[in-house]
Amino acid sequence: MFTAAAAQVEPVPLDVGANVALAAESRNDLHVAPDDPRLAPLRAACERHGTTAIVGAPVPTGRGLLLGALIIGPDGSAPDVYGKLNLHADEPRIFVPGTGPRVVDVAGRLVGLALCIDANLPEHAAATAELGAEIYAAGVIFELGTEDRLAEHLAARARETGMWVVGAQPSGRTGSFETGGTSGIWAPDGAAVTRLGDEAPALASASIPGPA
């Protein structure tokens, strides 16, 4: 049985070390390269527990700065990166888009990745499903008061594609936003298997059966 979980926390604004280790000295460098030493506690935890973690961060690359998702595997090696495809608002002034949809093998299951507005767009989920993804993992930020709209988007992506959808959102203030949590897991028919409120820290987890 495959277990997926969406971690819901209140991040410490502009403090990468605290958000990775939950107790670390603040630093001014907000970019997180895959070999960043501040990721060491998270990499060690993945190796210790045989877990894959997907965490958001601004990631410098040769093409520019990605609004990225770092993929840390159970061997604890330096993470791979997915870059958000659909930049919006002021993001294009700072970031470059990723190069395409991304699917990663997690314990033999294919997991597609999405960041924020990626998951609002049916075409992004459809393209990810075409790569063979069974599970769609989305890290999102919706403003406080729009939690039901967030849940509707994630349920729709599940119904449209037949994928399981795992959505993780902070609860509390992150940057200039106030967010209300509502992390959860949606079955392929769009039903919420588990859905959090605004509590933090909290973990929404569910066992996902194998393909029929």
Side-chain angles (χ1 to χ4, degrees):
M1 188 68 73
F2 183 92
T3 299
Q8 177 170 296
V9 299
E10 181 173 2
V12 181
L14 305 183
D15 191 337
V16 174
N19 289 327
V20 168
L22 300 182
E25 182 180 358
S26 177
R27 292 177 59 175
N28 292 326
D29 182 6
L30 305 181
H31 301 167
V32 184
D35 61 352
D36 194 305
R38 292 170 293 176
L39 293 172
L42 187 54
R43 291 168 60 179
C46 287
E47 186 173 16
R48 185 166 60 250
H49 297 290
T51 300
T52 297
I54 300 168
V55 294
V59 182
T61 72
R63 295 193 304 112
L65 191 63
L66 290 177
L67 190 50
L70 293 160
I71 306 153
I72 303 174
D75 62 355
S77 58
D80 201 351
V81 182
Y82 163 75
K84 181 180 178 183
L85 286 181
N86 299 284
L87 302 176
H88 70 295
D90 290 335
E91 291 172 351
R93 293 193 301 106
I94 304 169
F95 301 102
V96 296
T99 56
R102 183 66 189 280
V103 171
V104 295
D105 187 312
V106 179
R109 307 294 293 274
L110 295 180
V111 179
L113 305 181
L115 285 174
C116 209
I117 202 171
D118 285 344
N120 288 14
L121 305 175
E123 56 268 30
H124 183 274
T128 304
E130 288 177 3
L131 295 177
E134 310 163 57
I135 300 159
Y136 191 57
V140 299
I141 294 180
F142 275 51
E143 289 189 274
L144 186 66
T146 63
E147 294 79 24
D148 286 343
R149 184 163 65 88
L150 163 61
E152 289 167 5
H153 276 294
L154 298 181
R157 301 297 85 79
R159 287 192 303 269
E160 293 158 359
T161 63
M163 294 188 289
W164 287 79
V165 173
V166 180
Q169 170 168 249
S171 181
R173 176 162 289 277
T174 174
S176 61
F177 283 90
E178 284 283 352
T179 59
T182 320
S183 301
I185 297 174
W186 286 260
D189 63 359
V193 175
T194 181
R195 181 177 168 186
L196 299 175
D198 62 359
E199 63 270 26
L203 196 68
S205 65
S207 295
I208 296 179

